[in-house]
């Protein structure tokens, strides 16, 4: 007799136990290893089974692949790409979310998702100091948030110009202009390209040494202009002068958008709020939750001060899409079917509270300053003033070896950081965003950097 397959409960219990084991060993695991891809391939590169497999066997293969095939992004010594870790409450919410398997489409398809996202939206706006009447759409991340907000901006500006995109499409529409920073994140340009804006449509404003726009070079704008600035330059952490920009463009009819993927969270800290003064004066904002708020991947928010403009572009009706009250989530985001990401945002904010969010942001910035002090003591030259959680440094006379250094430290398994090019110099970039990171993690990482600089002959 054929043995029955494992039940969903059996698999959930095993996956939970394996997850607990993984988390318990996180601090002892190498952050990276050169053979990680080979380990993952050994477990996963198999022929497609001819028929159904016991789901337990499938999950066991995934567990086997994780024994060396994962990178320690969840741990306290991963400092690449502004990556956060999952807060315990947010991780627990993700596990529940997977079991609940809710469709966050409207109040009828998931009452719990609908309510959680309503509450989380209010909390996010409150913590970030943004207008309380703004709409919040829970999307995959800042890239999707930028795409959505810029699409809404295009739609709204064309409507104000008397062009109905719903009727006339984009062919023959009045031409819009983009004014943006020279250091804007490349994914913003990617989203602009997807929306049909080419280089000829984009006017780039030169930047100061800290990566913020030179206001003396800021052009005149009009009602057919989308101004795109940033909170948190990925190299320096500095934010554009939002209050000054808002004053400069006031009355022009231009749309003011801020890419605040990680830097907008400075508003949550009384100590750092001054870095983003005036951000609340924009028309729309893109921000990640899976960076500094430390929710699981993937989660971001597309926030707009003009909810009617969002609904005008994104809302639709169909007899098979039910809703009872208010604006359904389907009319606030690009997707129709999606996970209930707002539940994890609710969990992160509820577990931290206002003071906890501020402390998380402040703590990461303290660790970044500790990194800067340690690198300076090792002989590195700092290329940025550490105003938030970003540290960029190079070693004089060995700038071309920064890639070698980053790879060597990564392969040592002690910590992970990447490289960048800033102010025409090759450098390493360290981003501190994880709630798990401690002073001991910073010191351990500095020891690894010191050891590899000596081994590579970069430092005596």
């Amino acid at each position: 007799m054929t043995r029955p397959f494992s039940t969903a409960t059996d698999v959930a219990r095993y996956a939970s136990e394996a997850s607990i084991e993984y988390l318990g060993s996180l601090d002892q695991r190498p952050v990276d290893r050169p053979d990680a891809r080979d380990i993952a391939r050994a477990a996963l590169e198999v022929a497609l089974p001819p028929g159904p497999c016991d789901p337990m066997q499938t999950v066991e293969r995934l567990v086997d692949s994780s024994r060396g095939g994962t990178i320690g992004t969840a741990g306290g010594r991963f400092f690449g790409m502004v990556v956060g870790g999952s807060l315990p409450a947010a991780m627990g919410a993700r596990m529940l979310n997977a079991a609940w398997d809710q469709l966050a489409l409207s109040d009828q398809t998931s009452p719990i998702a609908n309510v959680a996202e309503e509450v989380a939206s209010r909390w996010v706006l409150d913590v970030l100091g943004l207008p309380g009447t703004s709409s919040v759409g829970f999307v995959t991340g800042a890239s999707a948030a930028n795409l959505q907000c810029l699409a809404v901006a295009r739609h709204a500006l064309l409507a104000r110009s008397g062009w109905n995109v719903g009727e006339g499409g984009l062919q023959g529409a009045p031409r819009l202009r983009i004014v943006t920073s020279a250091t804007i994140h490349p994914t913003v340009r990617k989203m602009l390209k997807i929306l049909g804006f080419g280089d000829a449509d984009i006017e780039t404003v030169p930047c100061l040494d800290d990566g913020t726009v030179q206001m003396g070079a800021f052009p005149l704008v009009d009602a057919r202009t989308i101004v795109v600035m940033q909170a948190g330059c990925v190299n320096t952490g500095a934010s554009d002068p939002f209050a000054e920009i808002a004053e400069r463009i006031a009355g022009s009819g231009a749309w003011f958008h801020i890419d605040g993927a990680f830097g907008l969270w400075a508003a949550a800290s009384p100590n750092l709020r001054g870095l983003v003064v005036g951000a609340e004066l924009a028309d729309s904002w893109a921000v990640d939750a899976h960076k500094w708020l430390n929710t699981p991947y993937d989660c971001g928010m597309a926030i707009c001060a003009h909810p009617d403009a969002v609904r005008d572009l994104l809302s639709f009706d169909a007899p098979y899409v039910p809703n009872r009250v208010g604006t359904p989530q389907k009319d606030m985001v690009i997707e129709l079917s999606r996970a209930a990401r707002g539940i994890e945002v609710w969990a992160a904010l509820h577990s931290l509270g206002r003071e906890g969010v501020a402390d998380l942001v402040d703590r990461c910035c303290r660790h970044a300053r500790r990194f800067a002090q340690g690198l300076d003591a090792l002989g590195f030259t700092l290329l940025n003033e550490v105003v938030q959680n970003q540290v960029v440094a190079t070693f004089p006379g060995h700038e071309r070896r920064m890639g070698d250094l980053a790879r060597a430290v990564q392969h040592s398994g002690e910590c992970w950081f990447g490289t960048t090019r800033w102010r025409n110099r090759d450098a390493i970039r360290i981003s501190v965003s994880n709630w798990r990171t401690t002073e001991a993690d910073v010191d351990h990482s500095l020891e690894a950097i010191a050891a590899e600089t000596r081994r590579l002959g970069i430092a005596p």
Side-chain angles (χ1 to χ4, degrees):
M1 179 181 294
T2 303
R3 193 184 72 171
F5 280 173
S6 303
T7 66
T9 301
D10 295 333
V11 174
R13 184 177 295 110
Y14 173 72
S16 177
E17 291 170 353
S19 298
I20 292 169
E21 178 186 353
Y22 184 87
L23 290 171
S25 65
L26 197 56
D27 290 339
Q28 289 75 45
R29 283 173 173 262
V31 177
D32 190 13
R33 49 189 298 172
D35 59 348
R37 183 176 171 83
D38 294 334
I39 293 171
R41 185 176 294 281
L44 304 180
E45 187 68 77
V46 296
L48 178 66
C53 291
D54 188 322
M56 188 71 79
Q57 295 176 355
T58 300
V59 176
E60 285 173 346
R61 276 196 173 273
L62 290 172
V63 171
D64 288 343
S65 73
S66 75
R67 300 194 190 284
T70 59
I71 296 297
T73 53
R77 298 195 305 278
F78 188 92
F79 307 110
M81 287 89 71
V82 199
V83 170
S86 294
L87 287 161
M91 180 195 64
R94 167 61 63 91
M95 296 174 73
L96 289 171
N97 232 345
W100 295 342
D101 198 18
Q102 298 290 282
L103 174 60
L105 184 154
S106 73
D107 64 335
Q108 283 195 274
T109 60
S110 179
I112 190 172
N114 186 266
V115 172
E117 294 192 349
E118 282 183 3
V119 176
S121 295
R122 292 198 301 271
W123 288 353
V124 166
L125 296 175
D126 181 23
V127 168
L128 296 180
L130 301 180
T133 55
S134 301
S135 64
V136 180
F138 293 90
V139 295
T140 56
S143 293
N146 281 316
L147 178 67
Q148 177 170 310
C149 290
L150 293 170
V152 171
R154 180 185 66 182
H155 193 79
L157 291 191
L158 289 176
R160 295 173 191 172
S161 298
W163 184 269
N164 188 322
V165 176
E167 294 179 359
L170 293 175
Q171 299 294 334
R175 190 164 187 171
L176 300 181
R177 167 177 165 233
I178 309 295
V179 170
T180 190
S181 160
T183 61
I184 200 72
H185 198 276
T187 57
V188 174
R189 285 187 171 269
K190 178 180 178 179
M191 297 306 114
L192 289 169
K193 182 179 178 181
I194 290 172
L195 291 171
F197 293 104
D199 292 340
D201 304 306
I202 302 174
E203 184 172 346
T204 301
V205 185
C207 289
L208 302 170
D209 286 345
D210 65 354
T212 63
V213 292
Q214 296 181 22
M215 290 307 298
F218 204 91
L220 294 174
V221 299
D222 57 24
R224 293 183 181 176
T225 307
I226 303 174
V227 176
V228 186
M229 295 291 120
Q230 63 182 340
C233 170
V234 293
N235 282 307
T236 67
S239 298
D240 288 316
F242 303 130
E244 194 173 351
I245 293 169
E247 182 179 3
R248 181 75 60 89
I249 69 177
S252 67
W255 185 285
F256 184 11
H257 173 70
I258 295 176
D259 172 25
F262 72 93
L264 199 57
W265 287 103
S269 163
N271 297 318
L272 299 173
R273 197 168 293 149
L275 298 175
V276 291
V277 168
E280 71 280 0
L281 301 174
D283 295 288
S284 58
W285 307 262
V287 64
D288 278 316
H290 56 229
K291 286 187 170 67
W292 240 345
L293 189 58
N294 280 241
T295 67
Y297 272 88
D298 51 23
C299 186
M301 283 85 75
I303 306 174
C304 185
H306 313 285
D308 288 345
V310 177
R311 288 188 287 266
D312 188 49
L313 176 63
L314 300 179
S315 65
F316 72 95
D317 291 312
Y320 60 87
V321 182
N323 187 66
R324 289 194 183 96
V325 296
T327 300
Q329 293 107 305
K330 72 175 181 63
D331 292 345
M332 305 309 292
V333 294
I334 293 173
E335 306 106 319
L336 176 61
S337 302
R338 65 172 179 84
R341 300 184 185 97
I343 291 176
E344 292 150 30
V345 175
W346 182 94
L349 289 171
H350 184 272
S351 68
L352 290 173
R354 188 187 307 278
E355 293 180 0
V357 178
D359 178 67
L360 172 58
V361 172
D362 287 342
R363 190 167 68 248
C364 288
C365 293
R366 286 199 304 272
H367 292 330
R369 292 192 294 271
R370 190 179 185 91
F371 257 120
Q373 292 164 1
L375 290 172
D376 179 67
L378 290 174
F380 284 80
T381 295
L382 296 172
L383 300 184
N384 72 308
E385 179 185 356
V386 181
V387 295
Q388 287 203 74
N389 61 335
Q390 303 296 98
V391 183
V392 176
T394 193
F395 206 100
H398 295 278
E399 294 179 10
R400 294 186 178 181
R401 304 292 307 281
M402 293 301 96
D404 296 335
L405 174 61
R407 284 187 292 273
V409 176
Q410 290 167 13
H411 290 168
S412 75
E414 300 300 331
C415 76
W416 204 109
F417 55 83
T419 58
T420 188
R421 186 164 178 80
W422 183 242
R423 296 167 63 180
N424 296 316
R425 302 176 74 174
D426 293 327
I428 60 172
R429 189 187 75 157
I430 293 171
S431 304
V432 189
S433 313
N434 196 316
W435 70 274
R436 289 179 179 272
T437 300
T438 65
E439 288 187 356
D441 286 321
V442 175
D443 294 343
H444 185 94
S445 299
L446 286 167
E447 290 171 5
I449 293 170
E452 293 302 329
T453 55
R454 290 192 298 268
R455 189 183 68 80
L456 293 171
I458 293 173

